Amino acid sequence: MTEVKSRRDEYSAATRQALLDSATALFAERGYAKTSLEEIAAGARVTKGALYGHFDGKQALFRAVLQDLEAATTRDVLRAVGEASTPWESVIAGLDAFLRACRDTVYGTVVMREAPIALSYAEWSAAEELHSYRLVVDMVRMLLDTGEIDPLPLEPAARMVHAVVGAAAMLIAGAEPDDQQQAFDDARAVVLRLAEGMRRR
């Protein structure tokens, strides 16, 4: 009985992952509005009924895709931060990891361009609070604690830094494919110049 249950659980997990993979690819390629549940199910090689066994609709599936992409990018940012040798370098490494993700077709399209369409603004903002804003708070706190930047109130500083980085992310994600490298370079340069203005001399 335990073995049967284990195999059923493994199959269920594999089906769910296949649906997430199919949905992620289609949302990135075609956008949320132009992607149907039938196409997602076909891409995962399951029935639409099997899809409803895991998600109650397209929006619920999109939320799960968004969560996975945000979590993966957060891990990439934290890995980059952890590999740097100084607090300032760790923040730059984390910024670069995040902006590179925004240049990536999948993350940039799904998280930065499609999420504000697929979800309400309040829900999208809540996702940003949970992931990117929390990272910014931790990084600004670290810079304050180590004396890398002049003393500032944490929350206003983090909010404004998050807004600037978010604007850079939108600029990169919204650029045409041939222009994305230039958008990345330009946005990164501006963010770094502004960050240097906060740095203690």
Side-chain angles (χ1 to χ4, degrees), residues 132-143:
S132 59
Y133 177 66
R134 183 178 294 178
L135 285 173
V136 169
V137 169
D138 289 344
M139 291 185 187
V140 172
R141 180 184 288 113
M142 177 177 62
L143 294 178

Side-chain angles (χ1 to χ4, degrees), residues 67-90:
Q67 173 64 30
D68 278 4
L69 289 173
E70 290 279 31
T73 299
T74 296
R75 288 193 297 271
D76 289 343
V77 170
L78 291 175
R79 187 180 304 113
V81 168
E83 291 172 354
S85 56
T86 69
W88 187 258
E89 289 173 359
S90 70

Side-chain angles (χ1 to χ4, degrees), residues 16-166:
R16 185 179 190 278
Q17 189 59 54
L19 287 165
L20 287 172
D21 291 344
S22 175
T24 301
L26 286 167
F27 288 147
E29 179 185 348
R30 305 189 60 192
Y32 177 80
K34 294 181 180 179
T35 297
S36 69
L37 289 177
E38 289 81 3
E39 291 169 317
I40 293 170
R45 297 182 180 180
V46 300
T47 65
K48 192 175 177 183
L51 184 153
Y52 278 114
H54 292 272
F55 304 99
D56 63 12
K58 187 166 72 167
Q59 197 171 57
L61 183 49
F62 186 89
R63 290 189 188 101
V65 168
L66 178 67
Q67 173 64 30
D68 278 4
L69 289 173
E70 290 279 31
T73 299
T74 296
R75 288 193 297 271
D76 289 343
V77 170
L78 291 175
R79 187 180 304 113
V81 168
E83 291 172 354
S85 56
T86 69
W88 187 258
E89 289 173 359
S90 70
V91 168
I92 302 306
L95 172 69
D96 284 345
F98 176 69
L99 295 183
R100 281 196 301 271
C102 296
R103 189 180 58 191
D104 171 69
T105 302
V106 174
Y107 183 90
T109 300
V110 175
V111 177
M112 304 308 300
R113 297 172 66 176
E114 293 299 315
I117 298 170
L119 307 175
S120 68
Y121 178 77
E123 188 171 359
W124 181 64
S125 295
E128 293 291 288
E129 289 279 328
L130 183 63
H131 295 283
S132 59
Y133 177 66
R134 183 178 294 178
L135 285 173
V136 169
V137 169
D138 289 344
M139 291 185 187
V140 172
R141 180 184 288 113
M142 177 177 62
L143 294 178
L144 287 168
D145 290 346
T146 57
E148 287 281 353
I149 61 176
D150 291 323
L152 292 167
L154 175 60
E155 185 173 355
R159 290 284 176 195
M160 292 181 189
V161 169
H162 185 252
V164 169
V165 174

